[in-house]
Amino acid sequence: MLIRSTFAGLTLSVALTVLWLSLPVAAEPSSEERAAELHSARSAIEALQEQAGQYRLEGELGKQVETAQKIVEQARHLEGQDFELVDDALRQLAKLQREADDAAAAAATQQKLVELRSKHLGQDHWRTRDAQLTRNHLNMRRQLSAEQRMQWVEAERLFGAAERAVEKDRPLAALDSAMRALAIRRQWFSEASPLIARSCNQIASIYGEMKMWDAAETYRREALQIQEQAMGAGHPEWANTVDALVEDLVAQARQLARAAEFASATEAVEEAFEIQGRRFAKDDWQMRGLQMELAHIARLAALESTERAELKKANQWIATGGESIREGRHADAIPPWDQALSIREACLGEEDPQTLRCLEMGPRTAEHAGQRDEACRRFRRLLEIRRATLGADHPRAKLSAR
């Protein structure tokens, strides 16, 4: 009985196996079919993007959102071949949803962006962290009352107003708007929010325009500290803030050197050198410019009183040339600038940053004056000196070569 039952079971198993093997197998799409599918998806996306552009011109935000959702659906077909296309589609959709004040939908879209970047870039990538921070801000915004949301929008308006005031050369108005935006953001965000860092950077830049370097440095360092904590060292925004802090320190050093405060000027550049030294090797082109600034301050400190008087004359010659440029008389600007160049070369040397800046004014001026051969001669000399002082890999040396 047991043998008969076992035999029957085996017979049924064999029959099922034969039946399964006889079923039609879904064929994998050929490379031609897949290429046609991808082409169709791309064509659909291009048509939808054109449609979205028309809706934008018409101010139809709701239709823009609907079209952006369709673009995301089409882009999903291309994820394996073009992850960035899907990334861009999700970012655009989330942006439109924020404009429509639909924080819940924007947060859901942002979560999809987090998952996409985690999959393709890794959870620790700075772009993934950016998406996570934006998602967190959106979730926070959803929990705000109507009055609180109005304050949030007001902070964004004030931030934009500060930028426009800077463009119009109204630093005091810009500073007022920027400070008010920062005050609102401090109410709603933790001290580690990138939005607070952006406000701090904006205020630092405004103070820099006003030559108030101590205040600029204070806000720049706060921005840097926040970005290290929230985004991590190495994030592009963090790197930009480091570069801005270094530029602030160098500008401060130049101001101190003009006031003959050479010790303080040296300290500022040395600090900039130390900051960049954590990122670059000593022979990197980023470091050579700072080394030249230190050498420049040392030369200024060692000048005789007669040489200092000569350098003041050089500044006067530069101002005279600048007046000619403003009046459109480019050829007349060349002789006084050449006088200034000769003085700086004699007092500071050919490789000094001030001499180089003076040397840089000649080629373009000669070109604008229609003196093409003279412009080429000056460009060649500038290229030789830049390569010798900055190195052939420095962007300015490469720019001269072009």
Side-chain angles (χ1 to χ4, degrees):
M1 191 69 184
L2 177 61
I3 294 173
R4 188 178 301 168
S5 175
T6 303
F7 179 76
L10 288 171
T11 303
L12 179 60
S13 176
V14 170
L16 289 172
T17 303
V18 171
L19 178 62
W20 180 80
L21 291 173
S22 67
L23 291 174
V25 179
E28 288 289 329
S30 66
S31 58
E32 291 80 7
E33 290 172 332
R34 183 58 178 158
E37 180 185 353
L38 297 177
H39 177 73
S40 176
R42 289 185 186 278
S43 298
I45 289 172
E46 290 174 3
L48 287 166
Q49 287 173 335
E50 186 175 346
Q51 190 177 47
Q54 184 60 39
Y55 288 145
R56 185 164 51 252
L57 291 174
E58 296 170 359
E60 295 281 357
L61 182 56
K63 291 182 178 179
Q64 288 182 63
V65 172
E66 292 175 7
T67 307
Q69 289 170 334
K70 293 176 183 178
I71 291 174
V72 169
E73 292 170 7
Q74 290 293 334
R76 284 293 189 187
H77 295 294
L78 304 171
E79 182 179 338
Q81 286 70 33
D82 195 345
F83 140 73
E84 293 291 353
L85 185 65
V86 187
D87 187 284
D88 183 65
L90 286 170
R91 283 191 298 107
Q92 291 300 322
L93 175 58
K95 178 176 178 290
L96 290 169
Q97 288 167 333
R98 289 198 301 273
E99 289 178 10
D101 201 24
D102 191 347
T109 301
Q110 199 67 30
Q111 176 58 31
K112 293 177 182 176
L113 187 59
V114 171
E115 293 167 0
L116 179 76
R117 290 181 176 178
S118 296
K119 175 182 175 183
H120 290 274
L121 301 174
Q123 292 186 348
D124 294 331
H125 195 279
W126 67 264
R127 287 173 62 186
T128 306
R129 289 200 296 273
D130 270 1
Q132 291 169 340
L133 289 166
T134 303
R135 177 203 59 196
N136 294 345
H137 285 161
L138 287 167
N139 285 330
M140 177 186 290
R141 187 168 182 171
R142 292 171 58 192
Q143 299 169 10
L144 299 178
S145 66
E147 182 181 354
Q148 290 169 335
R149 281 198 297 272
M150 287 177 62
Q151 288 183 325
W152 182 306
V153 172
E154 177 65 4
E156 293 177 347
R157 186 195 70 78
L158 287 167
F159 187 89
E163 290 185 331
R164 290 189 293 274
V166 169
E167 292 171 359
K168 295 177 181 178
D169 196 24
R170 298 173 56 208
L172 291 177
L175 186 61
D176 177 67
S177 295
M179 285 291 194
R180 288 163 60 196
L182 176 60
I184 295 173
R185 286 177 169 176
R186 287 198 194 278
Q187 292 179 26
W188 305 119
F189 296 111
S190 69
E191 289 300 315
S193 169
L195 288 179
I196 292 180
R198 286 167 195 160
S199 280
C200 288
N201 262 328
Q202 184 183 58
I203 292 170
S205 296
I206 295 169
Y207 274 127
E209 291 292 326
M210 299 166 69
K211 312 300 181 189
M212 298 174 66
W213 300 112
D214 288 343
E217 183 180 345
T218 298
Y219 281 95
R220 194 78 76 188
R221 288 186 184 279
E222 183 179 355
L224 192 61
Q225 183 178 2
I226 292 170
Q227 288 171 338
E228 283 187 10
Q229 183 178 347
M231 302 173 169
H235 189 285
E237 285 193 40
W238 172 88
N240 289 338
T241 302
V242 172
D243 289 338
L245 175 59
V246 167
E247 289 173 7
D248 289 347
L249 288 168
V250 171
Q252 183 177 5
R254 289 172 181 170
Q255 188 177 46
L256 289 166
R258 284 193 292 272
E261 297 181 29
F262 302 115
S264 297
T266 300
E267 287 178 9
V269 178
E270 285 177 343
E271 185 173 3
F273 192 85
E274 181 183 352
I275 291 170
Q276 291 290 50
R278 299 172 197 150
R279 302 168 62 202
F280 305 109
K282 285 188 177 181
D283 59 348
D284 189 275
W285 68 263
Q286 299 267 16
M287 306 296 285
R288 285 197 290 273
L290 294 174
Q291 291 167 345
M292 290 175 64
E293 289 290 342
L294 283 171
H296 168 68
I297 295 169
R299 291 190 196 99
L300 289 178
L303 288 177
E304 300 289 339
S305 58
T306 53
E307 292 172 316
R308 295 185 198 281
E310 285 297 303
L311 286 177
K312 287 182 179 179
K313 290 180 183 178
N315 293 339
Q316 292 169 358
W317 283 119
I318 290 172
T320 300
E323 290 175 6
S324 298
I325 292 293
R326 284 190 291 274
E327 294 171 3
R329 297 181 290 107
H330 290 86
D332 292 342
I334 295 175
W337 282 356
D338 282 347
Q339 288 279 2
L341 178 61
S342 297
I343 293 171
R344 286 186 172 180
E345 283 180 326
C347 296
L348 300 172
E350 187 179 61
E351 300 179 353
D352 188 85
Q354 276 197 1
T355 304
L356 276 175
R357 284 193 287 273
C358 197
L359 188 64
E360 288 165 359
M361 297 187 294
R364 288 293 180 196
T365 306
E367 187 176 23
H368 286 303
Q371 303 174 11
R372 186 171 181 80
D373 291 342
E374 179 64 15
C376 288
R377 183 188 70 79
R378 290 172 181 263
F379 268 123
R380 280 193 293 269
R381 187 188 174 204
L382 177 61
L383 174 60
E384 290 172 2
I385 296 175
R386 276 182 171 171
R387 281 179 171 171
T389 55
L390 300 173
D393 60 332
H394 195 284
R396 285 184 175 273
K398 292 179 180 179
L399 180 64
S400 297
R402 288 199 295 269

